Every structure is written in structure tokens, then in C-alpha cells.
Amino acid sequence: MSEFVRLETQDGIGTIRLERPPMNALNTQVQEELRAAASAATADPEVRAVIVYGGEKVFAAGADIKEMADMSYVDMAERAADLSSALGAIARIPKPVVAAITGYALGGGCELALACDWRVVAEDAKLGQPEIKLGIIPGAGGTQRLARLVGPARAKDLIMSGRMVDAQEALRIGLADRIAPAAEVYATAVELVRPYLTGPSQALRAAKLAIDGGLEMDLASGLAWESQLFAALFATDDRREGMAAFVEKRKPDFTGR
């Protein structure tokens, strides 16, 4: 049983909930429990969409600095790839994933949010990558995912200054997708993913794979990857149902097959 990270499933939504008071610091145990929760959410057919949530007060205020303070280069060289891949497991969930952010999403917490498809941010939340103030840089995807999301110039501003941004700035630069009162963040995240719960899950998976995978390729390779995924969907029941429903002028009944 996980101590600090739980996967709760209700009405097709899997909530990956962090519970390590007071700030949900992402120590090694939390990182590995996130990996396990991502694997469970991926494997469970009852989970059609995922919300990553730190609770009503804080999303995650970063890595556990006390745990890292005495680590040597050799120590971190052995751990760094696992740190990155633990949050990468969230990014690889082949279903819609939204981060519901209250309080702070800093350092590793911001990187966890970046691993999600969308971010719902509380009106009073603060986001940032303050690692530079510790003499290091983000090491769990921050330099890569943030630059792809907001562009290299803005990513350099945030990472090289270490400053925090509020919800309005996060929305303006594309780091946030929706803003809500803190008490309504989770409910807003539910509303964001609700349309996908009855959607064609294989096509949603393919769309995510095409977009995320294509970002790592040149245009010609990305187009070939898209074509492959597009053609593969013609083997699914949902493709047949979707096209039949269109022809028959009715609402499709997708089964995820």
C-alpha cells in the first residue's frame, strides 16, 4: 500500500492524490509512488481520465531538499534518471490528465504539473522553478517541458530567475489553462475532463501519442507517425460506431474497443 500517494477511482475519473503534509514534498518514496499510481491508472480500464491533486492547501512545493542536501554527484547521477522517469510516468498515461493546483506548484511540483495535459490553477496559486536559487536546475523535466509549453525565452526567464508566477501570469503565458477559486479547483478539473469520459478512448490515446510523440520529431517523421496512428484506429469498434452514428445522424455509443 502506498503511504503518500493514492489512486482513487470514481465515475471514470482516477484521482492521483498526494498526501505528504505539510507541503507534499516529492522525496524518493513519493516519486516511486507516483510512478506506481501512473501505472495503475494506465492499466485500469475503469479509469477514463486522471486528475493529479495535492489537496485543498497545496499541490506540491517541490523536491525534498533535506533528502538531497548531502547527496554527491555520484549519488545524484544514479538517481537523476529515476527522478525524471517517475514524473515521466505521469506524462505517459495514455489518457487525458489534468493537474488541479492549489497553493504552490514549485520545483518538482511544477514539473509534476507540466507532466499533465492541462493545468487548472487556483486564483491564489503560485508556480515556478526556483532550483537556480539552490545552485541547480530543474531535473525532472522542467527545462524541457516548460520550454515546449511556453517557449524557450519565457522558460529561460522562469528557470534562470527562479521567480514565481501567479495564476493570471501563468494563464497568460500558457502555463495554466483555467483559473478557479481555490475551493473549486478540483471540481473545475472534473468538468474539464468530463467530456472525455464517454469518448473513444483508443482515439484519445492515439491523439495524445501523436501530439506528444510528434513534438520529438521533425515534421516528416511526425506526419508519418500521425498516419500510422490514424490508420490503426480503423481496426477499432469505436471507429465503426462513430462513423455509423454520423451516417445515421445519432449520438455514438463508444465502448473503448
Side-chain angles (χ1 to χ4, degrees), residues 173-190:
I173 67 176
L175 181 53
D177 298 285
R178 294 190 187 179
I179 298 176
E184 299 174 16
V185 164
Y186 183 82
T188 303
V190 169

Side-chain angles (χ1 to χ4, degrees), residues 14-49:
T15 300
I16 296 177
R17 188 181 295 267
L18 283 73
E19 293 183 329
R20 189 184 180 223
M23 301 299 285
N24 290 334
L26 305 181
N27 67 355
T28 298
Q29 182 176 341
V30 172
Q31 295 161 25
E32 293 309 313
E33 289 182 8
L34 281 168
R35 189 197 307 276
S39 178
T42 295
D44 189 347
E46 296 301 314
V47 174
R48 305 295 294 270

Side-chain angles (χ1 to χ4, degrees), residues 52-72:
V52 181
Y53 183 51
E56 297 178 354
K57 294 183 178 180
V58 64
F59 183 70
D64 192 330
I65 304 304
K66 292 181 180 179
E67 183 183 63
M68 296 193 305
D70 294 326
M71 294 180 73
S72 67

Side-chain angles (χ1 to χ4, degrees), residues 5 10 22 24 29 57 77 81 87 98 134 145 153 161 169 176 190-191 205 210 241:
V5 179
Q10 183 176 358
N24 290 334
Q29 182 176 341
K57 294 183 178 180
L87 300 195
V98 57
L134 302 175
R145 291 194 178 97
S161 71
E169 182 176 1
V190 169
E191 289 306 307
R205 172 182 178 274
E241 167 62 12

Side-chain angles (χ1 to χ4, degrees), residues 159-183:
I159 291 169
M160 295 171 73
S161 71
R163 69 182 182 89
M164 293 187 291
V165 299
D166 61 19
Q168 289 296 332
E169 182 176 1
L171 183 66
R172 179 173 58 81
I173 67 176
L175 181 53
D177 298 285
R178 294 190 187 179
I179 298 176

